Amino acid sequence: MPNSLTDVNPNDIITHIEQNFSRAQAIGLNCLVFLALREQTSIAYQSKELGFEDIPEQIIAWCDGLEEDHLLDLAARITAGLLDNQGEVGTQYLYDLFDEVTAAALNTKSAQIQTTQGLGK
């Protein structure tokens, strides 16, 4: 594990979560990450505000040391791990779902353009 905040690597955080966290703790950390991003605060602030005392302060500090994009990636990886651990179809399901949603959005946009052109607009 990292010795300082400058050594933080999302992979280290994921490894710690996989080895030491309960499902509830992983879900709680994800909540804190998303709330901190939404409210533009730190994860430590959200943890204190909500009383999530079961999440180690060191993990919270490591997460607070990450940039926003790395935090979002971390949250996605935690979610994928939660799905994998529940016997769900996991990460591949998320990727397939994303591909389907993207394709549907592109098809909708294409249909709108064709309809508009067909109406002489």
Side-chain angles (χ1 to χ4, degrees):
M1 298 311 299
N3 294 327
S4 71
L5 290 180
T6 59
D7 297 334
V8 174
N9 179 330
N11 291 329
D12 294 331
I13 297 170
I14 291 294
T15 299
H16 184 84
I17 291 168
E18 289 174 347
Q19 294 175 354
N20 300 292
F21 273 33
S22 68
R23 181 174 174 79
Q25 287 173 298
I27 291 169
L29 180 58
N30 249 6
C31 290
L32 294 175
V33 167
F34 286 120
L35 283 169
L37 290 169
R38 183 191 186 286
E39 298 299 320
Q40 298 179 349
T41 63
S42 68
I43 296 167
Y45 173 82
Q46 292 300 328
S47 178
K48 184 177 179 180
E49 187 77 9
L50 297 171
F52 283 29
E53 296 173 1
D54 61 335
I55 299 174
E57 289 182 22
Q58 186 64 48
I59 293 296
I60 291 171
W62 288 338
C63 291
D64 274 338
L66 297 174
E67 297 291 325
E68 183 174 319
D69 288 344
H70 289 120
L71 272 176
L72 287 170
D73 179 60
L74 178 70
R77 291 170 63 189
I78 292 170
T79 301
L82 289 165
L83 291 173
D84 285 342
N85 290 335
Q86 284 304 112
E88 302 281 342
V89 286
T91 306
Q92 189 58 49
Y93 170 78
L94 293 175
Y95 289 133
D96 292 344
L97 182 60
F98 178 77
D99 289 343
E100 288 178 31
V101 169
T102 302
L106 291 174
N107 286 337
T108 301
K109 183 66 173 173
S110 176
Q112 288 173 341
I113 291 169
Q114 290 174 358
T115 301
T116 302
Q117 289 172 346
L119 295 174
K121 292 186 178 180

